[in-house]
Amino acid sequence: DTGVSQDPRHKITKRGQNVTFRCDPISEHNRLYWYRQTLGQGPEFLTYFQNEAQLEKSRLLSDRFSAERPKGSFSTLEIQRTEQGDSAMYLCASSPLQGPQETQYFGPGTRLLVL
Amino acid sequence: AQKVTQAQTEISVVEKEDVTLDCVYETRDTTYYLFWYKQPPSGELVFLIRRNSFDEQNEISGRYSWNFQKSTSSFNFTITASQVVDSAVYFCALSESGNTPLVFGKGTRLSVIA
């Protein structure tokens, strides 16, 4: 049973460029979450999906951020016109919808550096 | 609003010492879940334990134990006979259920020195 995977693991970009990250959840996990973690802080919730439906977006998710999960499997998180303040680790997690294993399992993260 | 406080920013212990990581939470929900995750230097968050608000039984798993007390809104984590491999950042988190967004504390960085 493979875990959550994220691609790329590292991304360096220049301010103003667009970037896209991909997350592949654990197979058959209905829910998929995106979090952002800055240095010395705990992860902060950005958005989450149940299958292809986006259930909630945090106020942290500005208009420059968009997330999709078109077929209810993998998800993408795009940041347009990146700013230096977007530099962070972007974490993806997945969980089953219900049952005794209702727990979020995290991927290795994508570390973004905006120059 | 939900909030998790981990007052200890950094702890340093010598190998084989016992160490307790504190977690205090705030919520208005009557039903909620508490979690501990470990984040080693590699960066990936590793799930350690989930506890729901109805179950105040303490839990032990090998060298790890957890003490949940609703009366003080605390969910503390103890590592017995610490090892160098325990060195990591540990996060306490809270959610309405196991599959709703997590609210994390700021984490406690544990350094175990040989």
Side-chain angles (χ1 to χ4, degrees):
Chain A
D1 188 20
T2 58
V4 178
S5 61
Q6 293 186 245
D7 183 69
R9 295 290 306 277
H10 303 272
K11 179 72 177 178
I12 300 175
T13 191
K14 293 182 179 179
R15 189 178 54 185
Q17 298 294 304
N18 298 344
V19 294
T20 300
F21 309 142
R22 176 180 170 127
C23 171
D24 286 89
I26 293 171
S27 60
E28 299 178 356
H29 275 190
N30 304 92
R31 292 200 171 180
L32 185 149
Y33 313 76
W34 286 99
Y35 293 83
R36 182 173 69 185
Q37 184 179 20
T38 53
L39 207 58
Q41 302 296 315
E44 295 175 293
F45 166 71
L46 293 177
T47 187
Y48 81 116
F49 295 83
Q50 180 171 310
N51 300 316
E52 64 274 10
Q54 190 170 19
L55 295 186
E56 186 178 343
K57 293 193 287 187
S58 159
R59 56 184 171 77
L60 290 177
L61 210 68
S62 76
D63 291 344
R64 297 183 298 104
F65 287 69
S66 63
E68 292 182 342
R69 195 182 182 197
K71 297 182 180 178
S73 57
F74 71 91
S75 175
T76 58
L77 177 68
E78 180 183 16
I79 310 174
Q80 296 183 325
R81 305 181 304 281
T82 52
E83 301 173 355
Q84 288 183 328
D86 297 331
S87 295
M89 172 82 92
Y90 290 84
L91 295 163
C92 177
S94 69
S95 72
L97 183 56
Q98 58 188 13
Q101 297 304 317
E102 285 177 5
T103 295
Q104 293 177 37
Y105 296 92
F106 283 80
T110 294
R111 191 174 296 278
L112 173 66
L113 178 61
V114 182
L115 300 176
Chain B
Q2 297 180 328
K3 184 179 178 182
V4 174
T5 301
Q6 295 180 256
Q8 305 149 308
T9 306
E10 292 191 34
I11 300 176
S12 185
V13 299
V14 176
E15 203 171 21
K16 297 184 183 177
E17 283 185 357
D18 298 347
V19 59
T20 296
L21 310 183
D22 297 333
C23 172
V24 173
Y25 63 92
E26 295 175 31
T27 181
R28 294 180 182 175
D29 296 328
T30 53
T31 303
Y32 52 89
Y33 286 75
L34 293 161
F35 301 80
W36 277 94
Y37 285 86
K38 173 182 180 179
Q39 189 172 44
S42 62
E44 185 165 346
L45 281 164
V46 177
F47 166 72
L48 295 177
I49 189 171
R50 180 188 73 170
R51 174 65 76 220
N52 73 50
S53 53
F54 293 114
D55 183 0
E56 286 194 72
Q57 232 179 357
N58 291 333
E59 179 155 343
I60 298 174
S61 175
R63 297 184 298 106
Y64 295 171
S65 62
W66 290 270
N67 183 352
F68 176 32
Q69 291 194 347
K70 284 180 77 170
S71 61
T72 56
S73 296
S74 65
F75 186 43
N76 296 338
F77 172 30
T78 297
I79 302 175
T80 303
S82 59
Q83 299 176 2
V84 172
V85 292
D86 296 327
S87 297
V89 181
Y90 291 86
F91 291 98
C92 181
L94 168 69
S95 75
E96 277 181 29
S97 75
N99 53 18
T100 49
L102 294 167
V103 174
F104 284 86
K106 291 189 175 183
T108 297
R109 180 177 299 278
L110 173 66
S111 298
V112 181
I113 304 164

